[in-house]
Amino acid sequence: MMQHLPVLQVIVPLLAAPLALLLRPSRLAWLFALIASGAGLFISLSLLAQVLEQGTLIYALGGWAAPIGIEYRIDRLNAFVLLLVSLIGFVVLLAADTSIRREIDEDKQPYFYSLYLLCMAGLLGIVATGDAFNVFVFLEISALSTYTLIAMGRDRRALWASYQYLIMGTIGATFILIGIGLLYMMTGTLNMHDLALRLPAVQNSATVLTATAFFVVGVCLKLALFPMHLWLPNAYAYAPSIVTALLAATATKVAIYVLIRFVFTIFGLDFAFDSLPVHEMLLVLGVVGILVASVLAIAQSNVKRLFAYSSVAQIGYMVLGIGLANTTGLTASLLHLFNHALMKGALFLALAGVFYRLSTVELKSFQGLGRQMPLTLAAIVIGGLSLVGVPLTVGFVSKWYLVLAILERGWWPLAFLVMLGSLLALVYLWRIVEMAYFSPAPADGGNPPVKEAPLMILLPTWLLVIANVYFGLDTDLTVSLASLASIELFTPVVP
Amino acid sequence: MEILVDVVLLSLLVITALAINGTKDLFASIMLTGIYSLLSASFFVLMDAVDVAFTEAAVGAGIATLLMLSCMTLTGQYERKPRRSQQALGLLVVSITGVLLYFGTLDTPNFGDAHSPIQDHLAPHYLHQSMAEIGIPNVVTSVLASYRGFDTFGETVVIFTAGIGVLALIGFRPKRKTDGQLQSLVAPMHHQKILRVLSKLLIPPILLFALYVQFHGDYGPGGGFQAGVIFAAAIILYAMIFGVDIARRAFPDAAVRLLAALGVLLYGSVGLVSLLSGKHFLDYSILGDTPQHGQHWGILLVELGVGITVTSVMLIIFFTFSARVDRRGRDGDASQRQ
Amino acid sequence: MSALLHYNYWIVIVLMMIGFYIVITHSNLIKKLLGLSIFQTSVFILYISMGKVIGGSAPILSDKVQIYSNPLPHVLILTAIVVGIATTALGLALVVRLREAYGSIEEEDIQAQERDEGQAP
């Protein structure tokens, strides 16, 4: 069975999805989805162990060896991202049953779990596959389920956010399709490894340049890189709380993965960064994104929207690390990819708790919440400090490596701008802290009085909060994984 | 001669696209989009892509047009003129993208070249080995269902996802009792005698044709997806003439939903069987006494899975849309949300 | 002659850009989806054009035929057509819900209501 782990990682949630649709009552569907994603987490842990022990795993689907057939190719980077997605998918799902009850009608709940599993399967499929066109197919599975999940939010603005995302997302996907098509035209292959081997021969053609440009722009639309982020804030703000937690912690991370995979493995660093201004583009958009999105976050009056803008800013850090084009920078990006998932997972789950009690996450309703919901607010504060990058949290670790990478390049002013981004994060976090701890609760004390969030939301929230602190103190595991993966990415592809 | 047809078809496509941009009547736009699909289907035939042409005609000109019309019935027929500023911005973005693409196609291999990279690398294997490895004449089916069977599995899941998505968004509502009066988008056609007789005559051959397309995909153009669309089209035709409620009694919501899930599960279980017999996921060679037989069985089963899911999802989508039209007909303009 | 050999690709670009233009500029939500489907269909034309071999025929094996066009792009586009109709169906379902929620399917109207909502509470 161990040899089948790569494919099981994807088909377990994929086949669980139609089954979840048939289960009633919805609590049973939840339990089933939870078991399936728990199995997924177990699989990804074993996969990681296997990859670290045996090196890259190759699995030929249908028994047809690539490039004739489609293959799954799991190296350190894949295993790392697969673990991240299935970990978050499982932890967030723990809270789903409680949270969804307040936000989605009973008769729609089985659809929710089915779509949740499809979304996870799509994301895992994108990461596991070694075939460029297969990326597109699984991208669409995750995209279609995401559009629906967002539109299931109670607020009517969720519908509009979902529609906008559908348009932007489809344009992005079509750009990606054009990119893949042009690459196929020049090389005759769709397999990533094969592409990497065959591209150097035709590298100087305008077609390959254009393919790269279309592909990168398409992926940047998907990962909401500033200024292509316009769909993200509303989508995160008005989606059901659980959906926001899942998307913020996984979807953009997977898009970052795709960017890294194509830029480093397929196009090759020299080509992507020397022939095209990809590297400058990522640097500039990354930095501008960090600053502008952080400032916009400060101006928000809805806390979910605030953290959504903060996500756009954090994407900036990850892209910046890629743009630096050195191993330390890439390590920082990968670290931040993992760490940011832990932070935003914790923060949006905590907000799910707030929404459960208050039915709103407007900043002004946070008055006096520090005393009424101490555990939830403590989670927001710790998660927020991690976002700022305070020592003893994971946020510090990834920022530290990012600054190291910048200093390796000797670009002092850039390091200063990164610090400025952290300062801005402190400002928006402070607005929440001030409201929650230093403003008195409304005179009537809320009616009925506001209580602490339910256990089944607190538990996964605090699991992620503890992870934020634990991996901030014990950095060996994550740092060594990230740097191993990044070294591998800088090694040229051999036949 | 071929080149001439090619040039004419492509020019017609451009004209149609421009007309779609120009008209403010959505009904006209939707019909023109259907024509656009038919034209591209003809173009695909010219390009030797018969399977694709078949699908594009059934989906683009058939199902998509129908869905768009239902949606238009629910929302209104005329659109507003785009704003000037928006047009200028659009023109700018489009010009940049277009120029980039133009630049990118300057040094592509020539159109129709038999020795471009894509003809030399993988295609020869599919064309020359598939008869020995899989043993069916239609290479498109071989690649679709076996060599790249996992993509097709993903495709089935995509259509399943869309089905659940539509259900979750505008899902079935409990049917309201109306005193035997069926007011729907389709009811007016019930009085057309000629249509009723014609459709009664047409529906059985359409269903037969769907079965032929389903099981003949190994030898000619066709397969599960096309068959599913045609099968659904026959039922939709019936529903449009005789009333959606009657069709829904024959295909109850819960059953259609179950079938949609079963199609995906059937495809997946074929994969699981090979996995449990010690082969890789979706390796069909284990399913028969010889690898070739196994491939036959595998392709037959997965295409059946595709067909079931596609039929059910098309029905789900059509039923949900028409139920909305129906409900609106009865309640008047219910623009309140929850 | 070389212009003729690239004619297909150039027309495809024009078609794509018309579709893309409709998506960006039109305010009507159904029209945007129409534009999107034209955009996607043009990409299909690009792929299928790539696979064509002049003088070839459809890739259904037979003793009478020597040259076949490439089957792989056909397979890819079959998948892409399905993805396209799935997206369209979902988009239309959203449009129906938006009409019920906002009373309009013009982008401008919805955005105007959004702006009011953003400032009011």
Side-chain angles (χ1 to χ4, degrees), chain A residues 59-60 62 68 131 134 194 207, chain B residues 104 107 121 126 148 151 280-281:
Chain A
Y59 188 90
I68 294 300
D131 186 276
N134 202 236
D194 205 22
T207 313
Chain B
D107 55 4
H121 187 41
Y126 297 135
R148 295 186 68 89
D151 260 353
H280 280 191
F281 187 70

Side-chain angles (χ1 to χ4, degrees), chain A residues 1 3-4 7-8 10-11 14-15 17-19 21-22 24 58-64 67-70 72 105 107-108 111 114-115 118 131 133-134 137-138 140-141 144-145 148 151-156 159 175 178 182 184-190 194 198 204-207 209-210 213-214, chain B residues 97 100-101 103-109 116-123 125-126 133-134 146-151 153-155 157-162 164-173 257-258 260-262 264-265 267-269 272 274-276 278-284 295 337-338:
Chain A
M1 220 52 192
Q3 70 184 90
H4 296 300
V7 73
L8 285 175
V10 179
I11 58 170
L14 204 60
L15 289 175
L19 286 172
L21 183 71
L22 305 174
R24 297 287 184 288
I58 294 174
Y59 188 90
L61 288 148
W64 302 112
I68 294 300
I70 297 170
Y72 271 8
D105 297 337
D107 57 334
K108 298 265 168 79
Y111 301 142
S114 193
L115 288 163
L118 284 169
D131 186 276
F133 192 79
N134 202 236
V137 176
F138 279 81
E140 287 295 341
I141 296 179
L144 289 179
S145 44
T148 319
M152 286 173 106
R154 272 217 182 282
D155 197 299
R156 70 172 180 176
L159 293 170
F175 271 42
I178 297 174
L182 293 177
Y184 171 59
M185 196 182 208
M186 296 312 285
T187 59
T189 188
L190 293 165
D194 205 22
R198 292 174 68 91
N204 295 320
S205 72
T207 313
L209 285 178
T210 313
F214 271 84
Chain B
T97 325
L100 190 63
L101 264 175
F103 164 75
T105 47
L106 281 179
D107 55 4
T108 54
S116 56
I118 75 168
Q119 314 296 1
D120 280 342
H121 187 41
L122 297 181
H125 182 100
Y126 297 135
E133 288 174 347
I134 294 171
S146 189
Y147 292 116
R148 295 186 68 89
F150 193 66
D151 260 353
F153 184 38
E155 168 197 323
V157 176
V158 168
I159 199 82
F160 174 72
T161 311
I164 312 182
V166 170
L167 271 181
L169 289 178
I170 56 172
F172 299 130
R173 295 285 159 93
R257 210 163 40 204
L258 178 71
L262 282 185
V264 176
L265 290 172
Y267 205 134
S269 10
L272 286 181
S274 20
L275 192 142
L276 292 174
K279 293 281 185 178
H280 280 191
F281 187 70
L282 289 178
D283 186 341
Y284 311 138
Q295 292 288 344
R337 184 167 175 251
Q338 288 175 9

